[in-house]
Amino acid sequence: MVDRYGTDVLSGDWRAPRRGRAVELPAEPGTVVEDAETGWVGAVVRVEKAGGIHVVHLEDRRGRTKGFRLGPGFLVDGAPVTLVPPTAAQATRLSAARAGSSRTASGSVAVRGARARVARGSRIYVEGRHDAELVEKVWGDDLRVEGVVVEMLDGVDDLAAVIREVRPDAEHRMGVLVDHLVPGSKESRVVDEARRVRPHADHVLVVGHPYVDVWQSVKPQRLGMDAWPVVPRGTSWKHGICAHLGWPHETQADLARAWKRILAAVDSWTDLEPELLGRVEELIDFVTAP
């Protein structure tokens, strides 16, 4: 006899999604996944914790990197997966691989097992916390081997006064990194004044990059952009950037979280623009010269 009503549609897992249920997948470097919402396809390059959440960074075939919240919402060969942090064993293997690397984040030859050198009298000064954190992330290993301390200035408006207070000499050189050091800028006039401070000017090197803020020295491709946007005059540069990226920017805490996301996109010197790289290397050479 023919069953007029067919099989029982509720007898199976009728609640299952059309593509099947998601399975957990460790976000190991090199794993290629697709973000189901945006269609972005890329290989896992790293997992970071920012703002209390885990973020996975995916690099597409053009070298562009974009961050996504770790968890559900990804596809592998069309099947849903939930990305989870790598296991402890996997993390151990990754750490061992990094430890065996022959290069530091700045691209210099790594000195394995070396203890940090006693701090020199010569120092490098940067404008603020973000500059200091970026220099530490990329050049930190080199600076510890060389015994170089990086200090923050909280801006350069009183740079000449700082030089008079520090009183640099042949044994206590002073290297300074300035943001937005371009002809005709306020910063250029401040630096011109600082370079005339006698008798200390001979022991001071002030260099700068052309970017409005050190954020801009990170290659925009690392944040999924072709170029950093132009922020209209009268708008705070950092607020304008966050608005362009669709990030919260109402409070100082929002801006701090935005910077953490940008900093998380930097793994090595290859993620930075050459205009910054050359200036930092120049300062390190100056303060470590015999």
Side-chain angles (χ1 to χ4, degrees):
M1 180 180 295
V2 177
D3 183 356
R4 294 171 56 190
Y5 300 101
T7 57
D8 182 358
V9 296
L10 301 182
S11 61
D13 188 4
W14 58 275
R15 297 185 180 87
R18 179 171 55 86
R19 288 177 170 173
R21 295 191 180 281
V23 297
E24 290 190 349
L25 178 70
E28 295 187 67
T31 303
V32 178
V33 299
E34 175 185 352
D35 176 59
E37 182 177 352
T38 65
W40 183 281
V41 178
V44 174
V45 291
R46 61 187 173 278
V47 175
E48 302 277 353
K49 194 168 185 180
I53 64 172
H54 281 92
V55 178
V56 59
H57 294 268
L58 306 180
E59 183 174 355
D60 71 4
R61 61 186 178 84
R62 296 180 180 178
R64 298 176 301 178
T65 303
K66 192 171 184 178
F68 299 88
R69 184 167 184 165
L70 201 69
F74 297 94
L75 303 173
V76 173
D77 295 330
V81 297
T82 298
L83 291 183
V84 297
T87 65
Q90 292 162 340
T92 299
R93 289 198 300 271
L94 290 174
S95 297
R98 293 190 186 100
S101 172
S102 61
R103 296 282 175 177
T104 67
S106 70
S108 62
V109 177
V111 182
R112 298 299 173 192
R115 299 179 62 182
R117 178 173 174 168
V118 175
R120 297 172 181 263
S122 300
R123 304 288 171 92
I124 291 176
Y125 292 78
V126 297
E127 287 203 41
R129 180 176 298 278
H130 296 177
D131 306 68
E133 289 177 343
L134 185 60
V135 169
E136 162 60 28
K137 186 162 189 178
V138 177
W139 288 274
D141 290 339
D142 309 68
L143 295 174
R144 278 182 284 278
V145 169
E146 296 290 349
V148 176
V149 174
V150 175
E151 297 195 17
M152 294 185 294
L153 289 172
D154 193 24
V156 294
D157 288 350
D158 295 323
L159 182 56
V162 173
I163 293 173
R164 293 187 183 96
E165 180 181 351
V166 174
R167 303 176 64 82
D169 56 32
E171 300 299 323
H172 302 82
R173 297 179 183 179
M174 183 176 179
V176 184
L177 179 67
V178 177
D179 297 343
H180 197 228
L181 187 55
V182 296
S185 66
K186 175 196 71 174
E187 289 80 5
S188 67
R189 294 189 292 272
V190 168
V191 169
D192 286 343
E193 179 187 355
R195 286 171 174 162
R196 293 194 295 267
V197 175
R198 300 293 174 184
H200 309 297
D202 292 340
H203 309 292
V204 177
L205 175 65
V206 183
V207 299
H209 56 74
Y211 306 116
V212 175
D213 190 277
V214 76
W215 290 20
Q216 205 175 5
S217 67
V218 178
K219 291 181 177 178
Q221 292 79 9
R222 298 301 182 263
L223 300 167
M225 301 184 294
D226 293 327
W228 285 93
V230 176
V231 178
R233 288 184 177 274
T235 300
S236 166
W237 192 86
K238 290 178 180 177
H239 285 76
I241 294 301
C242 290
H244 176 83
L245 292 169
W247 296 350
H249 53 278
E250 299 301 323
T251 67
Q252 192 61 37
D254 288 335
L255 297 180
R257 283 189 288 268
W259 166 242
K260 291 301 181 184
R261 293 178 69 172
I262 294 171
L263 187 62
V266 176
D267 283 329
S268 72
W269 66 275
T270 59
D271 299 318
L272 302 179
E273 299 288 1
E275 288 83 356
L276 175 71
L277 294 171
R279 303 296 74 74
V280 175
E281 296 287 349
E282 191 176 352
L283 291 175
I284 293 174
D285 289 345
F286 177 74
V287 299
T288 58

